[in-house]
Amino acid sequence: MNYSNNDQDNQDDQSKQQKQKKAGVTGFRIFFITLVIAAFAVVGSGLGIFIGIIKSAPDVSGLELKPSTNYTSFIYDANGMEIDRVEGGENRIYATLEEIPLYLQQAVIAIEDERFYEHNGIDMRGILRALVVNITNGDISEGASTLTQQLIKNNVLTSEQTFTRKIQEQYLAVEFEKIYTEAYGQKYAKDLILEYYLNTMALGHGTMGVQAASHRYYHKDVSELSLAESVVLAGITQRPTYYSPIINPENNWDKAKVILYKMVELGFITEEERQLALLENPFENIQEVNQIFVDESPHSYFVDAVIEDVLSDLQSKNGMTQIEAQNYLYGGGIQIYTTFDPEIQASVDRHMNDDSIFPSAENEIKLDYRVSITDAEGSVSHHSATGFVKNTSAIEGFKNEKLGEWGALAEGVTFVETLYEIPQPQAAFVIMDQTTGHVKALSGGRGDKVGDRTFNRATQAKRQPGSTFKILTAYAPALDTGMLSPGSVLIDQPITINLPSGNYTPQNWDRKYVGATTMRYGIYHSVNALAVQVLDMVGLDTAFEYLQRFGFTTLLPTDKVYSMALGGLTEGVTPLELNAAYAAIANNGTYIEPILYTKILDRDGAVLLDNIPNSYQVISASTAAALTDMMQDVVKIGTGASLKNWFSSQPVSGKTGTTNDSKDLFFAAYTPYYTATVWLGHDDPKSLNGASQREHLHLWGNIMKDVHSGLEYKNFEAQMPTYSMATICKVSGRLARNTCVSGTVTDYFSKENFPTQYCNSCGYQAPAAPTVTAPTTPTVTTPTTPAAPSTPEVFAPEIFTPSLPTILPSENTEAPVVEEEVVAPPILQDLPEVPSIPAAPTVTAPTTPVETPSTPVAPVETPSAPVEVAPTPAPEPTPAPAPTPEPTPAPEPTPAPTPEPATPTLPTLPTLPTLQQTPVDDASFIPQD
Ligand SMILES: [Zn+2]
């Protein structure tokens, strides 16, 4: 293929009546052919590569330029039942060229391809001009695409801007025109191409083609369009949002005027016709018509999200162009099998629309008001305003005020309006099966859904995740790298991090600092100082890598700062992605990309797209289990404790997230069955001070109660083979003795930081006590891991501050008074693979009844209840607590007198000092974690 076809082009020219300057055309052509070929050489490829590009172009014979439009596509739920359908009629209605006014055809030709009837598929003059511009600018952005090329780009080739694609597009355009001309003759070939083009052009607001656009904007058949209405449509296509006659009528009208002028120049219309068109008001009814589409919303948020995903996947995975994908979805008769669970969705919808859950003091209605006004002289102006009213009775007042301001209420003035009413605060909810990645239901907002493919807060809203990010940025990486364990002692004290930009001093949400405590407390009490401290230990780079592996796609480089531990992000995260991250914890550390559909079949039933979600391990199963164990305390005794008012039929593990300024309320949590995330806040972020800030827990609880009704009670699976229990002194972080009067903690420790030395603080006097020599236990420490230094060193230097005991919380006074100096060995539970210390009786806090849970990771806590011993050591799934005594790691010759002969093989419930306190989430304060 070469440009000899231009000769044919030359012959074709003669049929046209255009006032082209024929003289000089041949010389001009020789010049630009030379220039084009020279340009190819310049690009470094030369003619050989040019031919190669063309040879690699798709074979014309297998291609179809005519858009397929006539087939309805179906959407099915997870049970295979039809839940919705998408039809060409919504966005595309085919119109033949005879039905399309000549004005409209000419308007499109004038603005897109003025030599359409003269060229042979490519517009050499346009290419030359573009070439000059592109060489000048050093890119290939300048268009010069003919209608034929655009049709090919939209229906045949991918839309990427590459040199190769551009060459192929030009080649195919010429080939297609040749074939069509041979088959139909010159005139009809051009008409067909124009007809296809007019039926595929994107005209904004989801419309494809002039007929659908005519209905969308004017609510009438395309054949009834006036000249002015025609140029308004033609003007949209280059930048559908910028030139939207609904959103930006002024921009559109400016463009329309340019087109009208061009039409006169090309001889399509007379100057008189242009003047008359300028007097028309093509926008007169546009807002009124728009209201119809705003009010009609046939698709749910879930289906909207499916449509977005399908359109995006058809492009990214099947190599379609955007328009091709739209054609396929709206007219290709495809079958989409979704993950949708109609029963769960019904629960979600019911509670999302239960206004009684939402804080009445915060309630208001956001109004989005758009008006087109025609004054007494007939000239039109467009106005819009947003505002807030407390209730529906105030809407009229708002409108009248605006109409007055805009002069719409004067004599002889008429106007048309569109009004959106959006209740505030808003909410979003998403629920998925953590074992499959299947999103079962979602809600993108409360109140009436206005229009299709509108803003979906569950999948599109980027909001501040608050303290839900403590887990993902700080604690999960710290556990997963072996740096810390659930029982690791941390000092809750004001922290300042020196940064080049200044000092960063996060405040605790309750302004309280309890001194020496553990990671567990840091999580369930949502302690800001500890999260930032732990992030600092983990390192920003490591933390950021974990976040990315947790599947977040909205993070920016500017998020890699200390405030990310508290969920302070540049843009934020979507509820869908936050939910997927928590689902990874629920799914034993394996992330599964959330999906809304499983497969797409084409019209013939063949698989077009198998949607297998991306899946990989983010954190170890042990890390996940430790987090699951600790985050259960969030809803038992921590910042999410009020959840039990609404949902208690299954164990729940999760994390609250409230930004410091209380603009966003998040709760991301899971049961053994499902992971669900709720967000609550104002669309225009502002503090929810008029809320109890538990409304989101209420909403989550109500929905999950419904969702789990009838489901068997399940415990979380315990997979903590790399963790063992130990009782440590809170002051030293070492194994506790009876002398440790300031309090002890029993919790899980990983191999890497299992405490091996006994406390020698707390007034302990006897140096004769056997000093633990950790190295004798080969498995306890992994000194080669830099991230996990051997345990005592981890604790000692950072933990010991002389002032510590004095700032210990008062609950430590509950610690047992030691009567004798007998060294009481800590209880150490062996879990299968941990060859550590043989099981020994516990000495922890004798005043506190030791609860023996049936499973090690899901202890049933009753904060202030008396002794509760699980009657039977229930059969464990994996971490059978059968003692596999290893060769005495810790030198404890004689186990000290056993305080209580309870089943020594079962792990002891963490006896956290705070367990005996009143629940944190008390009505006396607002948990602004
Ligand atoms: Zn001690």
Side-chain angles (χ1 to χ4, degrees):
M1 189 63 226
N2 57 37
Y3 284 90
S4 63
N5 269 346
N6 294 309
D7 298 330
Q8 190 189 336
D9 187 26
N10 211 356
Q11 294 155 16
D12 296 343
D13 276 347
Q14 293 158 10
S15 60
K16 273 299 164 189
Q17 81 285 36
Q18 293 303 310
K19 57 258 167 213
Q20 301 280 336
K21 285 169 261 161
K22 295 278 179 195
V25 163
T26 311
F28 179 70
R29 221 160 254 184
I30 289 165
F31 169 70
F32 75 62
I33 291 170
T34 312
L35 204 121
V36 166
I37 290 170
F40 290 141
V42 164
V43 171
S45 42
L47 209 56
I49 286 182
F50 173 59
I51 290 163
I53 289 169
I54 284 168
K55 278 188 175 158
S56 70
D59 184 11
V60 191
S61 60
L63 300 177
E64 177 58 77
L65 280 186
K66 185 178 182 184
S68 70
T69 57
N70 300 322
Y71 301 97
T72 298
S73 293
F74 296 89
I75 300 179
Y76 301 97
D77 70 13
N79 307 314
M81 304 296 290
E82 184 190 324
I83 50 170
D84 207 344
R85 40 178 84 183
V86 283
E87 284 158 301
E90 283 174 38
N91 296 66
R92 138 93 45 80
I93 311 156
Y94 200 85
T96 63
L97 205 59
E98 293 81 66
E99 297 173 280
I100 300 169
L102 191 60
Y103 285 146
L104 181 49
Q105 301 176 30
Q106 290 169 331
V108 169
I109 288 171
I111 193 67
E112 293 292 323
D113 185 6
E114 59 181 276
R115 284 175 290 276
F116 173 69
Y117 279 106
E118 292 117 59
H119 63 63
N120 67 334
I122 51 175
D123 177 12
M124 292 313 277
R125 282 184 58 191
I127 288 172
L128 176 65
R129 198 185 55 228
L131 209 62
V132 172
V133 172
N134 289 337
I135 288 169
T136 314
N137 297 343
D139 63 28
I140 54 162
S141 58
E142 182 71 15
S145 279
T146 62
L147 297 187
T148 320
Q149 283 174 262
Q150 292 188 45
L151 194 56
I152 287 161
K153 183 173 74 182
N154 293 341
N155 285 4
V156 180
L157 295 170
T158 58
S159 60
E160 56 190 311
Q161 274 269 16
T162 66
F163 187 73
T164 301
R165 207 251 321 127
K166 194 84 186 164
I167 298 300
Q168 289 183 344
E169 182 188 292
Q170 291 169 354
Y171 162 72
L172 289 173
V174 173
E175 284 293 289
F176 264 115
E177 290 221 358
K178 201 163 74 183
I179 290 167
Y180 272 53
T181 305
E182 280 163 12
Y184 304 111
Q186 164 79 15
K187 169 78 171 79
Y188 192 53
K190 285 286 183 185
D191 284 352
L192 266 184
I193 289 166
L194 180 61
E195 179 177 305
Y196 295 162
Y197 181 81
L198 292 170
N199 278 285
T200 50
M201 62 195 295
L203 287 168
H205 295 264
T207 59
M208 309 295 296
V210 291
Q211 182 66 287
S214 178
H215 281 264
R216 179 65 181 80
Y217 298 115
Y218 303 116
H219 211 237
K220 61 182 175 187
D221 193 86
V222 67
S223 62
E224 298 167 30
L225 294 185
S226 69
L227 172 57
E229 289 166 337
S230 294
V231 291
V232 162
L233 284 196
I236 297 170
T237 189
Q238 290 180 343
R239 291 171 70 187
T241 303
Y242 184 79
Y243 291 124
S244 161
I246 293 172
I247 302 169
N248 296 308
E250 293 86 357
N251 297 346
N252 181 286
W253 191 232
D254 285 347
K255 184 77 175 181
K257 285 188 267 190
V258 171
I259 298 172
L260 282 171
Y261 188 78
K262 189 88 187 168
M263 288 174 80
V264 174
E265 195 185 274
L266 293 171
F268 292 149
I269 57 169
T270 63
E271 173 59 23
E272 238 177 351
E273 285 174 300
R274 186 179 79 92
Q275 295 293 345
L276 283 171
L278 290 172
L279 295 176
E280 273 189 62
N281 175 15
F283 304 100
E284 192 175 358
N285 294 317
I286 273 181
Q287 295 299 345
E288 209 165 356
V289 170
N290 186 41
Q291 185 75 61
I292 297 169
F293 288 89
V294 166
D295 292 342
E296 284 175 4
S297 175
H299 301 310
S300 66
Y301 280 114
F302 192 98
V303 168
D304 270 3
V306 168
I307 288 172
E308 297 295 342
D309 280 5
V310 167
L311 287 176
S312 147
D313 290 351
L314 286 176
Q315 293 172 66
S316 66
K317 297 180 182 171
N318 289 41
M320 292 184 184
T321 64
Q322 189 191 354
I323 290 173
E324 231 180 333
Q326 292 207 15
N327 285 343
Y328 226 87
L329 176 63
Y330 288 103
I334 59 175
Q335 302 164 51
I336 303 163
Y337 287 84
T338 72
T339 56
F340 182 78
D341 184 319
E343 278 184 49
I344 293 180
Q345 185 68 52
S347 298
V348 172
D349 291 342
R350 187 163 57 250
H351 296 295
M352 279 288 291
N353 289 304
D354 176 359
D355 290 345
S356 72
I357 292 177
F358 290 85
S360 54
E362 290 281 330
N363 275 349
E364 58 185 9
I365 301 164
K366 181 180 181 181
L367 301 175
D368 183 346
Y369 192 37
R370 290 170 199 172
V371 179
S372 291
I373 298 168
T374 308
D375 68 17
E377 282 77 46
S379 71
V380 182
S381 58
H382 308 281
H383 306 267
S384 66
T386 55
F388 297 88
V389 293
K390 284 308 283 182
N391 48 52
T392 47
S393 61
I395 292 175
E396 277 309 307
F398 172 86
K399 284 167 61 173
N400 285 330
E401 188 193 319
K402 292 297 163 194
L403 292 172
E405 268 175 39
W406 298 331
L409 301 173
E411 188 85 1
V413 174
T414 58
F415 64 89
V416 287
E417 60 179 9
T418 308
L419 179 71
Y420 300 81
E421 298 172 32
I422 308 153
Q424 302 291 325
Q426 269 293 343
F429 189 89
V430 57
I431 176 169
M432 80 180 236
D433 179 342
Q434 57 259 24
T435 63
T436 59
H438 291 188
V439 176
K440 309 306 286 184
L442 61 78
S443 175
R446 61 188 283 237
D448 292 336
K449 181 169 174 284
V450 285
D452 276 331
R453 294 174 66 192
T454 49
F455 188 57
N456 188 330
R457 295 170 190 83
T459 58
Q460 294 169 331
K462 288 181 248 178
R463 301 294 299 223
Q464 301 298 319
S467 300
T468 59
F469 252 41
K470 287 174 182 165
I471 302 297
L472 307 172
T473 57
Y475 297 118
L479 290 165
D480 207 50
T481 54
M483 207 172 274
L484 294 174
S485 291
S488 292
V489 170
L490 299 164
I491 307 302
D492 176 20
Q493 60 189 2
I495 169 179
T496 294
I497 291 176
N498 301 317
L499 301 170
S501 55
N503 290 342
Y504 178 56
T505 307
Q507 300 273 318
N508 279 353
W509 58 265
D510 56 359
R511 302 291 188 270
K512 289 178 188 161
Y513 298 86
V514 301
T517 183
T518 59
M519 177 192 287
R520 181 181 294 271
Y521 173 82
I523 289 174
Y524 76 73
H525 196 64
S526 203
V527 183
N528 291 345
L530 293 184
V532 173
Q533 230 181 84
V534 172
L535 171 60
D536 194 29
M537 293 165 78
V538 166
L540 292 174
D541 288 335
T542 303
F544 200 73
E545 276 166 33
Y546 270 93
L547 281 182
Q548 282 171 321
R549 288 182 53 76
F550 270 119
F552 293 103
T553 60
T554 59
L555 300 176
L556 297 171
T558 47
D559 288 328
K560 205 196 275 189
V561 290
Y562 286 94
S563 58
M564 80 175 167
L566 310 181
L569 303 176
T570 313
E571 291 193 341
V573 297
T574 64
L576 179 75
E577 291 191 347
L578 182 62
N579 194 59
Y582 270 75
I585 305 173
N587 189 36
N588 302 318
T590 299
Y591 173 82
I592 308 178
E593 175 195 11
I595 56 168
L596 283 82
Y597 72 95
T598 54
K599 62 180 173 183
I600 301 174
L601 305 185
D602 69 14
R603 189 150 46 87
D604 304 319
V607 175
L608 184 70
L609 213 162
D610 222 345
N611 195 19
I612 297 163
N614 229 348
S615 177
Y616 50 82
Q617 194 87 23
V618 187
I619 49 174
S620 73
S622 284
T623 298
L627 289 170
T628 296
D629 187 69
M630 287 187 283
M631 289 196 293
Q632 287 181 76
D633 285 345
V634 170
V635 296
K636 286 177 184 167
I637 54 173
T639 50
S642 59
L643 179 71
K644 59 168 124 22
N645 296 330
W646 305 291
F647 178 62
S648 57
S649 64
Q650 297 284 344
V652 174
S653 181
K655 184 76 192 72
T656 53
T658 311
T659 46
N660 279 342
D661 42 15
S662 302
K663 289 175 183 165
D664 297 277
L665 303 178
F666 264 111
F667 184 54
Y670 47 90
T671 70
Y673 292 95
Y674 295 108
T675 305
T677 294
V678 65
W679 165 82
L680 194 150
H682 289 275
D683 279 339
D684 303 83
K686 62 177 181 178
S687 289
L688 288 153
N689 292 327
S692 77
Q693 304 193 0
R694 276 184 244 152
E695 290 85 356
H696 59 315
L697 297 171
H698 189 172
L699 185 55
W700 195 96
N702 277 6
I703 293 170
M704 293 299 259
K705 186 182 178 187
D706 278 5
V707 168
H708 288 81
S709 75
L711 293 178
E712 186 189 335
Y713 181 88
K714 252 200 229 179
N715 277 311
F716 287 113
E717 271 181 54
Q719 295 196 14
M720 299 179 72
T722 58
Y723 284 92
S724 303
M725 284 279 194
T727 298
I728 55 148
C729 167
K730 268 180 56 174
V731 176
S732 63
R734 297 181 173 190
L735 293 171
R737 301 176 194 270
N738 276 2
T739 45
C740 294
V741 292
S742 289
T744 61
V745 168
T746 301
D747 212 322
Y748 291 102
F749 291 87
S750 66
K751 282 179 201 169
E752 289 90 346
N753 37 53
F754 198 92
T756 52
Q757 297 195 1
Y758 284 89
C759 179
N760 52 9
S761 308
C762 304
Y764 179 67
Q765 297 294 333
T771 313
V772 179
T773 46
T776 58
T777 314
T779 50
V780 168
T781 53
T782 50
T784 50
T785 311
S790 66
T791 320
E793 285 73 25
V794 169
F795 294 128
E798 300 189 16
I799 299 320
F800 284 118
T801 39
S803 60
L804 271 182
T806 56
I807 57 164
L808 284 173
S810 58
E811 71 266 18
N812 288 292
T813 53
E814 291 172 21
V817 179
V818 183
E819 298 121 77
E820 39 182 319
E821 65 282 3
V822 175
V823 176
I827 181 162
L828 295 166
Q829 296 304 332
D830 280 353
L831 292 165
E833 297 169 27
V834 184
S836 55
I837 307 140
T842 183
V843 277
T844 21
T847 52
T848 311
V850 173
E851 291 170 330
T852 319
S854 53
T855 60
V857 290
V860 179
E861 288 172 72
T862 47
S864 55
V867 189
E868 189 184 11
V869 178
T872 46
E876 304 295 326
T878 14
T884 45
E886 290 295 318
T888 21
E892 292 147 11
T894 44
T898 313
E900 46 111 12
T903 52
T905 51
L906 282 178
T908 318
L909 177 78
T911 54
L912 300 166
T914 40
L915 287 183
Q916 283 78 40
Q917 288 191 305
T918 44
V920 175
D921 189 27
D922 190 24
S924 58
F925 64 81
I926 294 166
Q928 296 174 306
D929 55 306

